Amino acid sequence: MSQHLTDPSIGALRLLGGATILHVGPGSPLEWVASIRQGFPIQVLDSLAANIQATPAELAQLLGISVHTVAQRRRLGSLTSQQSERLLRLARVLARAEEVFDDLSNAFHWLTSPLIVLRGETPASLLDTEVGGELVMDTLGRIEHGIFA
């Protein structure tokens, strides 16, 4: 795994609206686990959408859920633990990609573009599993070090 300047959880926390919304510290994995298990408050979706300038449909697609499901979760006030975990994985990857590409817009574009190294898959499409998330993070590390330049 590559050495990077910041823990991706710090950037993820910023993208998701900060500690006041999530009630977690960036360097506190047990607080993240508790927050995921409880289900993130729906405000994290609004924060991420604003930060990456994504439409509700784009955000739903990134999370692998329907717009209807997002509306349902909005009425309930929180995401499920599975949706929260996937959202954190997405936010961590975005934060890391922002660090690699020096720009959040470029990071979002990379995340949603098919890559030859991923056999034509988009990095975002792999974030439904932890293994896929690790592969995407590894790919970012390789890009940072010029291996896929």
Side-chain angles (χ1 to χ4, degrees):
M1 189 153 223
S2 68
Q3 292 285 347
H4 41 88
L5 299 175
T6 60
D7 176 350
S9 295
I10 295 170
L13 185 60
R14 175 183 49 81
L15 291 172
L16 296 175
T20 56
I21 291 176
L22 283 170
H23 308 292
V24 298
S28 181
L30 288 177
E31 287 178 8
W32 279 108
V33 169
S35 187
I36 289 167
R37 286 178 175 164
Q38 182 178 342
F40 289 169
I42 201 68
Q43 294 91 337
V44 298
L45 287 179
D46 299 329
S47 178
L48 183 61
N51 279 312
I52 64 174
Q53 299 177 354
T55 66
E58 288 172 322
L59 193 55
Q61 183 178 9
L62 286 170
L63 291 175
I65 58 178
S66 69
V67 174
H68 174 76
T69 299
V70 171
Q72 180 183 36
R73 297 313 308 178
R74 188 172 295 284
R75 283 190 300 277
L76 294 171
S78 65
L79 300 173
T80 66
S81 60
Q82 185 178 25
Q83 293 160 349
S84 298
E85 186 168 33
R86 179 144 181 199
L87 183 61
L88 178 59
R89 189 178 300 123
L90 170 64
R92 289 183 58 158
V93 165
L94 273 167
R96 181 72 176 104
E98 179 182 22
E99 187 176 88
V100 170
F101 297 111
D102 294 322
D103 179 79
L104 188 55
S105 178
N106 290 340
F108 182 62
H109 176 73
W110 176 84
L111 187 73
T112 57
S113 299
L115 301 179
I116 293 171
V117 70
L118 299 177
R119 297 184 183 163
E121 298 285 331
T122 66
S125 72
L126 301 175
L127 298 181
D128 60 333
T129 67
E130 186 172 343
V131 172
E134 290 172 5
L135 176 60
V136 171
M137 290 294 248
D138 184 59
T139 301
L140 283 166
R142 291 173 183 268
I143 291 169
E144 182 177 46
H145 290 90
I147 295 173
F148 293 133

